[in-house]
Amino acid sequence: MNEAWLTKWGSGSVAGMDAEHETEVTLDDTLDVLEELTQQSFQAHETCRKLAAKAREIRHALDELAADLRSRHNILGRLTGAAMAKLAESMELLARKADEMATKSLVAAELCETAENAMFDAYRPLQQATEDTGLEVPAARIHNEN
């Protein structure tokens, strides 16, 4: 092959590709990241569910403690009652926020999983066809349109 032609038009290797077309992002790396995000989102969902349950347990325990302090220990003070009520309210707020986070993290997990499946379905056949034809990179879609 003529060296001048190779210099002008490139050798056909990825290293000779114009910079605007080069990328270090691979399909496998992207699918791995999406899979990891899916797993982390499902884990966050479970963690948030447990957090909400524990916060509600604490809220009920605070209610029982407040009743016990009033009835068995004769602690009826306004400040103590207000503090116990504030703590219980905080636990209820924490539980509601954890419920919200559980819902949102489940949605995130489902979206990541859907994106991973869609990318796999859309790009794996193209990647396989590229390998089967001996190309290093697929041709741009625009080159294959009429």
Side-chain angles (χ1 to χ4, degrees):
M1 206 173 257
N2 184 334
E3 289 299 315
W5 187 88
L6 285 175
T7 302
K8 183 175 180 180
W9 297 104
S11 63
S13 69
V14 175
M17 185 185 305
D18 284 342
E20 69 181 310
H21 299 296
E22 289 185 25
T23 181
E24 292 184 16
V25 176
T26 67
L27 177 61
D28 290 334
D29 290 344
T30 303
L31 294 175
D32 289 347
V33 167
L34 287 169
E35 182 179 0
E36 179 65 25
L37 287 173
T38 300
Q39 290 172 358
Q40 288 178 4
S41 296
F42 278 127
Q43 289 171 351
H45 171 73
E46 284 303 313
T47 300
C48 290
R49 284 188 47 224
K50 290 176 184 175
L51 176 61
K54 287 294 182 186
R56 286 192 174 92
E57 282 179 30
I58 292 170
R59 189 211 190 302
H60 294 301
L62 287 168
D63 287 342
E64 290 173 4
L65 177 60
D68 185 54
L69 288 174
R70 276 190 312 271
S71 66
R72 294 184 62 212
H73 303 284
N74 203 26
I75 298 177
L76 305 170
R78 224 181 68 223
L79 290 177
T80 302
M84 296 297 283
K86 182 68 175 169
L87 284 171
E89 180 183 312
S90 295
M91 288 300 104
E92 187 57 37
L93 178 61
L94 176 61
R96 284 196 312 267
K97 292 295 183 181
D99 286 337
E100 277 182 45
M101 289 171 45
T103 300
K104 289 179 180 183
S105 59
L106 183 59
V107 168
E110 291 170 347
L111 289 172
C112 288
E113 189 172 50
T114 299
E116 179 186 3
N117 291 334
M119 287 193 77
F120 181 89
D121 292 345
Y123 293 104
R124 184 63 77 198
L126 178 61
Q127 185 182 45
Q128 188 60 50
T130 300
E131 290 174 12
D132 290 348
T133 57
L135 297 173
E136 291 186 33
V137 294
R141 291 179 193 236
I142 191 98
H143 297 298
N144 299 314
E145 293 177 357
N146 292 334

